[in-house]
Coordinates of all heavy atoms in Angstrom, one line a residue:
Chain B
D619 N 3.9 -3.9 -1.0 CA 4.6 -2.7 -0.6 C 5.5 -2.2 -1.8 O 6.3 -1.4 -1.6 CB 5.4 -2.8 0.6 CG 6.5 -4.0 0.5 OD1 6.4 -4.7 -0.5 OD2 7.3 -4.1 1.4
S620 N 5.3 -2.8 -3.0 CA 6.2 -2.5 -4.1 C 5.9 -1.1 -4.7 O 4.8 -0.6 -4.5 CB 6.0 -3.5 -5.2 OG 6.6 -3.1 -6.4
Y621 N 6.9 -0.5 -5.3 CA 6.8 0.8 -5.9 C 6.1 0.7 -7.3 O 5.8 1.7 -7.8 CB 8.1 1.5 -6.0 CG 9.2 0.7 -6.8 CD1 9.2 0.9 -8.2 CD2 10.0 -0.2 -6.2 CE1 10.1 0.1 -8.9 CE2 10.9 -0.9 -6.9 CZ 11.0 -0.8 -8.3 OH 11.9 -1.5 -9.0
S622 N 6.1 -0.5 -7.8 CA 5.6 -0.6 -9.2 C 4.4 -1.4 -9.5 O 3.9 -1.5 -10.6 CB 6.8 -1.1 -10.1 OG 7.1 -2.4 -9.6
V623 N 3.9 -2.1 -8.4 CA 2.8 -3.0 -8.6 C 1.5 -2.4 -8.3 O 1.4 -1.8 -7.2 CB 3.0 -4.3 -7.8 CG1 1.8 -5.2 -7.9 CG2 4.3 -5.1 -8.3
T624 N 0.5 -2.5 -9.1 CA -0.8 -2.0 -8.9 C -1.5 -2.9 -7.8 O -1.4 -4.1 -7.8 CB -1.7 -2.1 -10.1 OG1 -1.0 -1.5 -11.2 CG2 -3.0 -1.4 -9.9
K625 N -2.0 -2.3 -6.8 CA -2.6 -3.0 -5.6 C -4.0 -3.6 -5.9 O -5.0 -3.1 -5.4 CB -2.6 -2.2 -4.4 CG -1.3 -1.5 -4.1 CD -0.1 -2.4 -3.9 CE 1.2 -1.7 -3.6 NZ 1.7 -1.0 -4.8
G626 N -4.0 -4.4 -6.9 CA -5.3 -5.0 -7.3 C -5.8 -4.5 -8.6 O -5.8 -3.3 -8.8
V627 N -6.3 -5.4 -9.4 CA -6.8 -5.0 -10.7 C -8.1 -4.3 -10.6 O -8.5 -3.5 -11.4 CB -7.0 -6.3 -11.6 CG1 -8.1 -7.2 -11.2 CG2 -7.2 -5.9 -13.1
D628 N -8.8 -4.4 -9.4 CA -10.1 -3.7 -9.2 C -9.9 -2.2 -9.0 O -10.8 -1.5 -9.0 CB -10.8 -4.3 -8.0 CG -9.9 -4.3 -6.7 OD1 -8.8 -3.9 -6.8 OD2 -10.4 -4.8 -5.7
Q629 N -8.6 -1.8 -9.0 CA -8.4 -0.3 -9.0 C -8.6 0.3 -10.3 O -8.8 1.5 -10.4 CB -7.0 0.0 -8.5 CG -6.7 -0.5 -7.1 CD -5.6 0.2 -6.4 OE1 -4.8 0.9 -7.1 NE2 -5.5 0.0 -5.1
I630 N -8.6 -0.5 -11.4 CA -8.8 0.1 -12.7 C -10.0 -0.5 -13.4 O -10.6 0.2 -14.3 CB -7.5 -0.1 -13.6 CG1 -7.1 -1.5 -13.6 CG2 -6.4 0.8 -13.2 CD1 -6.1 -1.8 -14.7
I631 N -10.4 -1.7 -13.2 CA -11.6 -2.3 -13.8 C -12.5 -3.0 -12.8 O -11.9 -3.5 -11.8 CB -11.2 -3.2 -15.0 CG1 -10.3 -4.4 -14.5 CG2 -10.6 -2.5 -16.1 CD1 -10.0 -5.4 -15.5

Side-chain angles (χ1 to χ4, degrees):
Chain B
D619 59 348
S620 165
Y621 59 88
S622 62
V623 174
T624 309
K625 310 299 180 290
V627 70
D628 52 3
Q629 299 204 345
I630 51 167
I631 56 176

